[in-house]
Amino acid sequence: MKKKLLSSTLLALSLALGCAVPAMADSRKVVTLGADLTTEQQNTMMRYFGVTSDAVDMIYITNTDERNHLGSYVPIEQIGTHTFSCALVSPTSSGGIQVKTANLSWVTCNMIASTLSTSGVTNCQVVAASPFVVSGTGALTGVIMAYENANRTTLDATKVDLANQELVVTGTLANDVGQSQATAVINETKLQVIENNITDIGEINNIINNVSNDYNVTVNPDQTQQIAALMSEIAQQEYDIVQLKATLERVQANVAADAGASAEVQQAAEDAAVKAEAAAAEANAQTQEAEQSGGFLSNLFGGGSDTEQTESEESILDNTNVEALEEAAGGLTVNEGDTTSTVQEQAEEQQAQSEDFGIPAATGDDSFTVDTPQELPADEGETIQTDPAAVDGTEPETTAVDGVASEPELKEEDLTDPTKKALYDEVKSGLEDTIKTTISDESGTVVSLSDSAATELPKMLEEHLLKILVKGVDAVAQEEAADTSVPAGIDVMLETAVDAPDKHYEDAQLAQMDRYVRKLVFWDPKEILADSYLEESDEIFLYNQIMKVLEKAYKVEPETETVGETVEEMPAPAEEAPAEEIPAAEDAVDPAADEFADFVEETGSF
């Protein structure tokens, strides 16, 4: 009788302490593997995660799972037919949402952290990756399923639904303004809406406008309406605001610099993140103290020793084996991105690597990059190089090369001729409208660029045009001839004639720009397109899109047939069989270049 009474008492206490003793005691790391990976690729991911199958629970994510999660917001044909994204998830009792990614070219670690917060997750560690580069849009599906399995719980279906919507809305906005900018706008808007419990559409519209202005982002009326509708629904949900702020403020601090925020806004974001993290840590400490006050009952139900064990365990973000991915990539370097570094730590890391190797470190945007070992020729690998000045926001100083002081950087104010200024403004506007993270035309062809490429490419083209207009074609041609980034004796025009036959532009300025565009796109000496992984047909398409902008500005009549517009249109030499040399039409990107075009990356597979 006493035994039965004790059992009943323990049962009642366990139910009463249910919220104080979450599934942490029973939680277990969970690995999700894309169901379409080969056995070898699955083994590669397990080595990368640093776990063995007997130490984790395993879930295989299918394309059906993706369709069930995203099918309400993305056309089924856009989701694709294969799933490759993988994840390792470990629930934690504190620390907010920490995410690391590798080989994901579109979904960022900060994007995952922000959308997970919408699903109701407060504390969790996530590593999302693939054995090869994919867009990563299927990552959230696996992460949420893994979290529910690991934590022995089911997340609120409405919140998960809103999280999926948020991923799509953020990705759609990113197509126009960039990944970091889109994440900054969505994340900060969500933070203000939830913190102040704002559900009024008009007030939310004002927040969106104010936040987008802070990051110098233009959000069109349709996008504003879409974001406001989503935020209004999110605001109606219940969240642990203290824990949620810790994640959202850290995400905001992570993306502020890349999103173009001023130094003041960056510092404010970092201060807010530190304050929010401290508040969340204090709240966690108070909760644990309350749980442990139960003495032996706390230990009996897992509130003591299991929590301490969990906190003492090594972070899964620190346990990844990037060499496993590099081995699978044929020895090429794979960069990882995460949400754990502060803005200052990221800047110091970038500066240190810049000084040691002349190549700045990844900026935390989790883009997959391939670095060329310095002893190898450039064609055996690829490297992304960015302006080191961007690390600390300072202007680049005038330096000396071979004992000769370099000339000061030209500015738009140096362009005093009204006619030239009008031409420059037209080209600048055309390039900004054309070169984005997703470029498409009326035929349905779609080419995707990385954030850095979409930013740097138009900037370099505008600077070169400004130099031609201010200094003259002859002076610029002499500088180009002395350019050491292209091996001596190489004629870029001849080298690229197969991809883009010379149109023999009559205007000398346009002809000079043509040479420069060819060098940037096809030769890519500065490797600004390295992390975009363009195929030959993509490069041809990008070249033609840029030249269309220039031809329009220089009043060149469009040809009835664009030579080299795509690989399919290039005439094959008589002695070759065109069928084997020309990529099949089905290899091209799906022609439905709508607002969800980003989801067809990697041949429609995730």
Side-chain angles (χ1 to χ4, degrees):
M1 182 70 176
K2 289 183 178 179
K3 182 177 181 181
K4 183 180 295 185
L5 177 60
L6 177 60
S7 300
S8 300
T9 303
L10 291 177
L11 176 60
L13 285 172
S14 66
L15 292 174
L17 293 173
C19 60
V21 186
M24 290 302 304
D26 297 326
S27 65
R28 180 178 167 92
K29 295 184 181 71
V30 175
V31 167
T32 70
L33 296 174
D36 295 297
L37 295 176
T38 66
T39 301
E40 182 179 356
Q41 290 166 343
Q42 293 175 9
N43 292 335
T44 294
M45 294 311 302
M46 296 297 285
R47 291 197 303 272
Y48 169 68
F49 289 140
V51 297
T52 56
S53 58
D54 59 342
V56 297
D57 289 339
M58 305 287 292
I59 299 177
Y60 293 88
I61 306 299
T62 67
N63 188 251
T64 300
D65 294 324
E66 285 193 46
R67 294 184 179 212
N68 290 339
H69 279 76
L70 297 175
S72 298
Y73 315 106
V74 183
I76 295 299
E77 63 271 14
Q78 301 276 358
I79 295 177
T81 58
H82 297 83
T83 299
F84 299 117
S85 301
C86 304
L88 169 62
V89 175
S90 176
T92 56
S93 59
S94 61
I97 302 173
Q98 301 177 3
V99 183
K100 173 183 281 188
T101 57
N103 279 2
L104 303 187
S105 63
W106 183 76
V107 172
T108 68
C109 52
N110 290 299
M111 192 186 298
I112 291 176
S114 183
T115 51
L116 275 179
S117 69
T118 300
S119 69
V121 176
T122 55
N123 297 294
C124 186
Q125 293 181 350
V126 175
V127 180
S130 169
F132 45 84
V133 181
V134 295
S135 64
T137 50
L140 189 63
T141 298
V143 169
I144 289 178
M145 292 177 64
Y147 178 84
E148 292 180 327
N149 184 285
N151 224 12
R152 305 297 192 269
T153 188
T154 300
L155 293 170
D156 185 282
T158 299
K159 291 180 179 178
V160 172
D161 188 60
L162 291 172
N164 289 323
Q165 289 187 52
E166 181 181 327
L167 182 69
V168 174
V169 170
T170 305
T172 302
L173 181 61
N175 289 338
D176 292 333
V177 303
Q179 290 171 316
S180 296
Q181 291 85 345
T183 302
V185 170
I186 299 296
N187 189 74
E188 177 63 26
T189 300
K190 180 172 68 173
L191 180 59
Q192 294 188 28
V193 165
I194 294 177
E195 186 174 16
N196 298 295
N197 193 29
I198 299 174
T199 58
D200 180 74
I201 295 294
E203 293 185 52
I204 296 176
N205 284 337
N206 291 334
I207 293 175
I208 296 171
N209 291 332
N210 292 335
V211 172
S212 59
N213 288 335
D214 287 341
Y215 291 92
N216 195 28
V217 170
T218 300
V219 182
N220 65 46
D222 290 340
Q223 292 169 334
T224 299
Q225 182 180 5
Q226 187 180 33
I227 296 171
L230 170 64
M231 293 302 163
S232 178
E233 292 188 59
I234 290 177
Q236 297 176 42
Q237 309 304 311
E238 293 184 0
Y239 291 97
D240 184 337
I241 188 61
V242 175
Q243 300 299 328
L244 180 120
K245 281 192 67 176
T247 293
L248 298 188
E249 295 285 16
R250 173 50 58 199
V251 167
Q252 206 63 23
N254 287 343
V255 301
D258 287 341
S262 65
E264 291 77 12
V265 172
Q266 292 179 43
Q267 187 59 54
E270 176 62 21
D271 293 342
V274 172
K275 182 178 179 180
E277 288 167 342
E282 182 179 356
N284 278 321
Q286 292 175 352
T287 300
Q288 292 177 13
E289 182 179 353
E291 292 173 1
Q292 293 172 359
S293 64
F296 84 96
L297 288 176
S298 176
N299 291 327
L300 181 62
F301 293 109
S305 59
D306 284 329
T307 299
E308 294 173 0
Q309 180 181 1
T310 299
E311 292 180 345
S312 64
E313 289 178 348
E314 184 178 10
S315 167
I316 63 172
L317 274 67
D318 299 330
N319 201 38
T320 56
N321 177 15
V322 71
E323 293 181 357
L325 297 183
E326 292 174 343
E327 181 181 348
L332 300 177
T333 301
V334 175
N335 284 343
E336 303 168 306
D338 63 70
T339 61
T340 60
S341 300
T342 66
V343 172
Q344 182 61 35
E345 290 170 340
Q346 291 173 14
E348 291 174 353
E349 181 183 354
Q350 290 171 342
Q351 183 64 32
Q353 186 162 347
S354 176
E355 292 173 353
D356 293 342
F357 306 103
I359 304 174
T363 58
D365 64 355
D366 78 274
S367 58
F368 169 70
T369 62
V370 182
D371 296 332
T372 306
Q374 294 189 359
E375 67 272 14
L376 296 179
D379 59 354
E380 293 188 26
E382 300 176 355
T383 305
I384 296 177
Q385 297 191 16
T386 58
D387 184 0
V391 173
D392 57 11
T394 59
E395 292 293 329
E397 298 179 356
T398 300
T399 57
V401 180
D402 296 332
V404 180
S406 61
E407 296 182 6
E409 182 180 357
L410 293 175
K411 296 179 172 54
E412 291 186 35
E413 292 76 15
D414 298 327
L415 201 56
T416 57
D417 187 311
T419 302
K420 293 181 178 180
K421 180 65 166 63
L423 185 145
Y424 174 84
D425 289 341
E426 182 178 352
V427 171
K428 182 177 180 180
S429 176
L431 291 175
E432 291 175 352
D433 290 339
T434 300
I435 304 178
K436 300 177 181 179
T437 52
T438 298
I439 305 174
S440 61
D441 67 358
E442 60 275 6
S443 69
T445 302
V446 178
V447 168
S448 298
L449 300 181
S450 67
D451 261 345
S452 59
T455 300
E456 287 298 314
L457 185 57
K459 178 182 176 181
M460 296 180 69
L461 292 168
E462 291 161 14
E463 289 177 350
H464 196 74
L465 176 60
L466 182 62
K467 188 187 301 182
I468 291 175
L469 296 175
V470 173
K471 301 174 65 174
V473 172
D474 292 340
V476 174
Q478 291 179 3
E479 292 181 9
E480 287 289 297
D483 184 5
T484 57
S485 66
V486 177
I490 295 295
D491 186 329
V492 175
M493 187 68 70
L494 294 178
E495 286 288 315
T496 60
V498 174
D499 293 328
D502 187 0
K503 294 184 180 180
H504 304 288
Y505 294 115
E506 296 181 2
D507 191 293
Q509 294 179 359
L510 182 56
Q512 181 61 38
M513 282 298 298
D514 184 19
R515 294 187 183 90
Y516 187 70
V517 173
R518 291 166 181 268
K519 184 175 71 172
L520 288 186
V521 175
F522 298 112
W523 195 269
D524 196 20
K526 295 184 180 297
E527 298 181 288
I528 58 176
L529 299 174
D531 60 337
S532 297
Y533 301 98
L534 301 182
E535 300 291 340
E536 181 184 23
S537 58
D538 297 333
E539 293 175 344
I540 296 172
F541 176 80
L542 177 59
Y543 164 81
N544 280 319
Q545 294 302 107
I546 294 173
M547 293 312 299
K548 285 179 181 178
V549 173
L550 292 167
E551 289 175 357
K552 180 180 178 182
Y554 280 92
K555 305 297 188 291
V556 175
E557 292 296 329
E559 298 179 357
T560 55
E561 295 183 4
T562 303
V563 180
E565 181 68 28
T566 62
V567 174
E568 288 82 357
E569 295 173 350
M570 293 172 56
E575 66 275 14
E576 296 180 359
E580 287 75 17
E581 297 299 323
I582 302 175
E586 57 266 26
D587 288 340
V589 182
D590 192 293
D594 57 16
E595 62 180 334
F596 300 112
D598 47 80
F599 285 93
V600 298
E601 287 187 48
E602 302 301 326
T603 64
S605 302
F606 310 105

